[in-house]
Amino acid sequence: MVQFAWSRPGTAQDSVRNDTAVVISRNALANGHLVESSALIRSQTQPGVFWTLNDSGNPAELFAIDTAGHDLGVFRVEGAENRDWESLGYARCGSRMCLYIGDTGDNRSRYPAVEIYRVPEPVIRPGETGHAVRANGKITITYPDGPRDVEAMFVSPASDIYLISKGRTGGVRLYMIRATTWTSPMAGTVAQFVETLPIPAGRGGRYQVTDASLAADGIHVAIRTYAFIYFFQLAAHHLTAESSRPTCDAQMDVQGEGIAWLADGTLATTSERVAVLGKTISVVRCSIGVRGQ
């Protein structure tokens, strides 16, 4: 059993570190084509399987991996284009579980619209290296306050989509797209601005948001920046800060990008390849964030 040991909610998070991530394991990502792992999702139907992707300019592919870094298969996504894939979500769509792919990266905040694809989760079969899967839906979205660089996304059990801006300008902003958007498609959907999150903005790259993960309980959210992991609770479409400070100093990865909850309350993280430094997947524990029993 895992109990979440959270601090008093409702206070702003600032830049004072109060915990350090303990690295339980770190392994190289074996697939040579996976060089820019920019998001991470744990499968809830296939034990030990994680999904990730490459970001801008790479083929439209999903990579299946495990925490040992093994290559479990590469799946080409037909009917999709990777302009700047940066985020992944996971939720039910119809009778199946689906991966939500956020083509939401926008380093210069210049794209008038971005896209989110929805793909039924591929099944990993022993001996297969992968095959093609087809996106079964796409929505085009704009933001009410102009273009935003967004690298973090999660999807609630009700299939509402939450997008978190990187925070280069205008603070770290939370947006929502309701699940009904998929059943009532329009030419374009305006994401709903929810709130500005209490993550420091304008203090350099260490605080820029690179990924987010919703725990299987549908409540606890981990948001990753290049240097820290912040913890929140999701309720009534809002995120409430769990601590008055960054919960976890996560500077164990160079160019750290992806984050995903494991079933025991630990976290898996991925890093991109930088210069001569290899790309990795790590399992870490933030002692102030979770307590396992």
Side-chain angles (χ1 to χ4, degrees):
M1 178 181 180
V2 174
Q3 294 182 344
F4 288 87
W6 307 103
S7 302
R8 181 174 61 89
T11 53
Q13 300 190 22
D14 60 33
S15 60
V16 180
R17 297 191 294 271
N18 62 357
D19 191 21
T20 299
V22 176
V23 178
I24 298 170
S25 67
R26 176 180 289 124
N27 293 287
L29 295 172
N31 191 310
H33 297 288
L34 178 56
V35 295
E36 296 180 299
S37 174
S38 293
L40 192 65
I41 284 288
R42 179 178 67 90
S43 174
Q44 295 177 19
T45 62
Q46 303 178 86
V49 174
F50 291 78
W51 295 99
T52 187
L53 47 75
N54 278 324
D55 63 16
S56 59
N58 287 286
E61 295 173 329
L62 291 166
F63 294 80
I65 60 175
D66 61 18
T67 55
H70 295 138
D71 174 18
L72 303 181
V74 183
F75 296 81
R76 185 177 74 256
V77 182
E78 295 181 341
E81 177 187 359
N82 183 350
R83 178 173 63 182
D84 195 354
W85 287 11
E86 288 285 1
S87 51
L88 278 170
Y90 188 86
R92 184 169 296 281
C93 59
S95 61
R96 299 187 60 177
M97 298 302 292
C98 278
L99 298 172
Y100 291 68
I101 303 170
D103 195 356
T104 55
D106 188 0
N107 288 337
R108 298 180 182 177
S109 298
R110 58 191 174 94
Y111 297 135
V114 295
E115 295 172 330
I116 298 174
Y117 299 95
R118 191 170 64 175
V119 179
E121 182 181 9
V123 177
I124 306 299
R125 294 183 174 88
E128 289 188 5
T129 58
H131 52 80
V133 293
R134 175 164 289 279
N136 73 348
K138 179 182 76 171
I139 54 175
T140 300
I141 64 169
T142 59
Y143 301 103
D145 43 8
R148 295 283 165 182
D149 188 16
V150 170
E151 296 191 6
M153 174 177 71
F154 63 89
V155 185
S156 74
S159 299
D160 294 321
I161 300 170
Y162 295 85
L163 298 157
I164 303 170
S165 69
K166 192 165 186 176
R168 294 179 190 273
T169 58
V172 176
R173 300 170 71 82
L174 175 69
Y175 303 87
M176 183 184 69
I177 303 165
R178 295 189 181 274
T180 52
T181 301
W182 295 99
T183 56
S184 303
M186 298 179 291
T189 297
V190 180
Q192 176 185 340
F193 170 70
V194 179
E195 59 198 340
T196 299
L197 298 179
I199 296 175
R203 296 191 188 181
R206 297 192 310 159
Y207 297 94
Q208 292 178 3
V209 173
T210 59
D211 200 12
S213 179
L214 177 67
D217 62 8
I219 298 173
H220 295 98
V221 177
I223 297 178
R224 177 173 194 179
T225 75
Y226 286 121
F228 304 109
I229 299 171
Y230 295 80
F231 293 102
F232 292 83
Q233 284 190 17
L234 175 67
H237 304 299
H238 289 267
L239 289 178
T240 301
E242 291 285 3
S243 171
S244 62
R245 296 179 175 87
T247 301
C248 211
D249 181 341
Q251 298 181 76
M252 66 283 178
D253 293 327
V254 177
Q255 193 67 19
E257 292 278 347
I259 191 167
W261 286 102
L262 279 70
D264 65 354
T266 56
L267 295 156
T269 66
T270 57
S271 67
E272 296 183 352
R273 185 174 67 191
V274 180
V276 297
L277 299 175
K279 62 277 200 290
T280 59
I281 181 168
S282 302
V283 175
V284 305
R285 179 179 296 278
C286 295
S287 62
I288 203 167
V290 295
R291 182 176 66 249
Q293 291 187 350

